[in-house]
Amino acid sequence: MAKLQLITNPPASRPRLLVLDSSFSLEAIRSRGLEHSVTCRDLDGFFDHVWTVHPFASLVTSNAWAEKYGSPNIYSLAPRHTFIDGKVGRFSALRWFPPLNFLIGQLGIFWFLLRLIRHQGISLIRVGDPLYLGLFGWALGRVCRLPLVVRVGANHDKTYELTGRPLMRRLFLSRKFEKVAERFVFARADLVAGANQDNLDFALANNAKSEFSTLFRYGNLIDRRHFVEPATRGGGVALLHELGVGLQRFLLYVGRLEEIKHPDHVLRVLGILRRRGHDVRAVFAGDGALSGRLRDLSRTLGVEDRTILCGNQAQQWLSQILPHAAAVISPHTGRALSEAALAAAPIVAYDVDWQSELVQTGVTGELVPNLKWEEMAKATERFLADPDYARTMGRAARRRALEMLDPEALDQHEREQYAALLIRFAQRRGRPG
């Protein structure tokens, strides 16, 4: 951990970026080998420095990582990157009153970031969602007169439609108030970037300006090991022997074990396939609140001895395992779906969110109606019954992913969008571009 010196720096010849992102704490990033998803944000030197901030990271970090309460922890992640873990509360003595402690802590990190922006000459602010982070980033940008970029990585309207629950109930109480926040932030954003077309369409339907909207796809966030030709990656067979899978066929799920992701449907698919006589296992790479319920469900379905829960795994492990899957089952995934396609794995996916942009039945995999696990089992069985078809679909998925997710092309697109935004914002404030 490094202490940040809040002193005025000489003006940078290149812009500097502040990112508010609550996807992962630094502890999770390091344990999963996701550093590239953060360090890629400087766009190969386009930004002189990038500060990434999780405003309430200690909510999800372990006690061994850092104190739950207090001032933010500041880490030097790479020469051009600083990571700041915020706290879920300011004072340990106020742990008995979490709402007040959270509010004090967030006001503290807001003040800290105001000073950071002014002393470090930060040029623009980017947030990872239009809800809490969106309001936080908008307020910072308004006070400091900086442009705001909102990257949209989910379709909150569809999520609510499926779950019937607000995304951030503790903060916003109901979906009605979340909608007010989303529409407020999108209308005031200087640039809105969807991770895919579905997510961008959600933003456009909620006040985002089409003339200041674009796509920032996952490609340049993905660890470069996933772009390596699958046949040359090596190591996967040894890892499978360590898991007890060996050379047996297996289904693979990669993602959070949370209700919204429907990992239980993978077990239901496995149960159907086992009843139909297929000697296949299911491997789950990920962790979450449903891990215990998945174990219970595997016993109920009689597939406990065929289910392997691996927990969170590093990118090297995933890149080596993915090419060996008989099928990757994707009820609802984002970056993990891209990684599966880059591994030339046969994919069975629900038609939800952005998944149809990458997976098309008979073209790049098998796309089935959302939440229809019987159809998902039937589609998976096609791959098991016809390995040649499975390999053909896997290779086609990789070709499409390489076209859609080319990191160099995406970096260049982002550089162009940021440059245009900075010029536009400078002109709007009456300064020369």
Side-chain angles (χ1 to χ4, degrees):
M1 185 174 70
K3 186 176 181 180
L4 187 67
Q5 299 298 316
L6 288 178
I7 58 176
T8 303
N9 287 345
S13 59
R14 290 168 291 161
R16 293 175 173 181
L17 174 66
L18 177 71
V19 179
L20 303 180
D21 189 350
S22 60
S23 301
F24 297 104
S25 66
L26 184 58
E27 180 185 33
I29 288 166
R30 285 185 167 161
S31 69
R32 302 179 192 189
L34 294 173
E35 288 88 347
H36 176 77
S37 67
V38 177
T39 58
C40 70
R41 289 171 178 159
D42 68 70
L43 300 175
D44 199 24
F46 176 83
F47 288 110
D48 178 69
H49 201 90
V50 179
W51 287 264
T52 297
V53 184
H54 188 318
F56 44 90
S58 67
L59 179 67
V60 294
T61 54
S62 67
N63 291 330
W65 177 257
E67 294 291 333
K68 289 289 183 184
Y69 307 99
S71 300
N73 290 126
I74 304 156
Y75 305 86
S76 178
L77 187 60
R80 286 195 291 260
H81 292 271
T82 299
F83 200 101
I84 301 172
D85 270 350
K87 303 291 183 163
V88 71
R90 182 64 181 86
F91 303 108
S92 59
L94 272 178
R95 68 180 69 200
W96 60 274
F97 196 179
L100 176 61
N101 206 11
F102 179 80
L103 176 61
I104 295 171
Q106 293 303 289
L107 289 173
I109 196 168
F110 186 87
W111 175 248
F112 171 85
L113 293 177
L114 284 180
R115 291 185 296 145
L116 177 73
I117 289 168
R118 289 166 175 162
H119 287 286
Q120 299 296 333
I122 288 171
S123 313
L124 63 132
I125 299 168
R126 169 173 153 175
V127 300
D129 73 61
L131 291 170
Y132 180 72
L133 297 182
L135 293 171
F136 198 115
W138 170 80
L140 279 174
R142 187 67 181 267
V143 173
C144 298
R145 300 184 69 197
L146 294 180
L148 175 68
V149 179
V150 180
R151 188 173 187 276
V152 191
N155 185 326
H156 294 172
D157 285 339
K158 286 187 178 178
T159 299
Y160 180 71
E161 188 179 311
L162 289 170
T163 66
R165 294 194 296 272
L167 279 295
M168 295 183 177
R169 180 183 291 175
R170 286 186 177 182
L171 290 174
F172 291 91
L173 302 178
S174 73
R175 181 62 185 148
K176 179 177 72 173
F177 293 123
E178 288 184 341
K179 291 288 292 181
V180 171
E182 287 166 354
R183 294 175 69 84
F184 177 89
V185 170
F186 282 139
R188 288 157 180 80
D190 298 284
L191 179 67
V192 173
N196 51 67
Q197 190 60 52
D198 178 86
N199 296 169
L200 182 58
D201 288 343
F202 154 69
L204 292 171
N206 286 277
N207 278 0
K209 305 179 184 73
S210 58
E211 65 271 29
F212 301 135
S213 299
T214 188
L215 290 174
F216 285 177
R217 291 193 181 274
Y218 293 109
N220 50 0
L221 304 180
I222 296 172
D223 191 288
R224 292 299 188 265
R225 284 169 284 199
H226 292 289
F227 287 89
V228 173
E229 179 62 40
T232 68
R233 294 181 188 181
V237 172
L239 293 174
L240 290 171
H241 279 290
E242 290 176 12
L243 290 175
V245 175
L247 299 178
Q248 295 176 307
R249 294 191 295 180
F250 68 97
L251 313 179
L252 179 62
Y253 168 86
V254 180
R256 291 182 288 125
L257 305 184
E258 303 289 347
E259 190 173 351
I260 192 174
K261 297 294 186 179
H262 304 294
D264 57 304
H265 290 201
V266 181
L267 282 180
R268 298 183 189 282
V269 167
L270 177 64
I272 293 172
L273 295 174
R274 291 290 297 155
R275 290 195 296 272
R276 292 178 181 172
H278 294 282
D279 186 14
V280 65
R281 297 177 180 235
V283 175
F284 291 78
D287 205 355
L290 292 188
S291 56
R293 284 168 55 183
L294 289 176
R295 290 189 180 91
D296 294 340
L297 180 59
S298 70
R299 286 192 287 271
T300 300
L301 296 174
V303 294
E304 183 181 12
D305 62 334
R306 298 283 168 170
T307 302
I308 302 170
L309 300 177
C310 301
N312 292 320
Q313 296 294 331
Q315 295 303 297
Q316 179 69 21
W317 190 96
L318 291 171
S319 69
Q320 293 174 327
I321 289 289
L322 278 163
H324 296 276
V328 170
I329 310 299
S330 178
H332 184 183
T333 53
R335 184 166 53 199
L337 179 62
S338 304
E339 294 164 355
L342 289 167
I347 299 169
V348 182
Y350 281 147
D351 187 2
V352 65
D353 204 270
W354 80 291
Q355 300 200 134
S356 64
E357 295 177 41
L358 185 55
V359 181
Q360 289 179 276
T361 298
V363 180
T364 56
E366 291 285 327
L367 191 71
V368 300
N370 191 33
L371 306 182
K372 302 294 185 182
W373 67 74
E374 299 91 345
E375 292 296 316
M376 182 168 270
K378 189 183 300 182
T380 305
E381 194 170 24
R382 294 191 191 107
F383 286 147
L384 298 177
D386 190 347
D388 288 337
Y389 174 65
R391 283 190 291 270
T392 299
M393 291 298 99
R395 288 193 293 266
R398 177 171 167 83
R399 286 194 297 271
R400 173 165 292 184
L402 288 171
E403 294 171 1
M404 180 184 291
L405 305 170
D406 177 64
E408 286 74 24
L410 293 174
D411 273 356
Q412 181 59 26
H413 174 67
E414 289 196 28
R415 285 191 289 263
E416 291 170 355
Q417 290 292 318
Y418 282 127
L421 168 60
L422 289 168
I423 291 170
R424 186 171 72 245
F425 195 79
Q427 291 173 340
R428 198 169 75 203
R429 292 181 60 181
R431 295 198 308 261

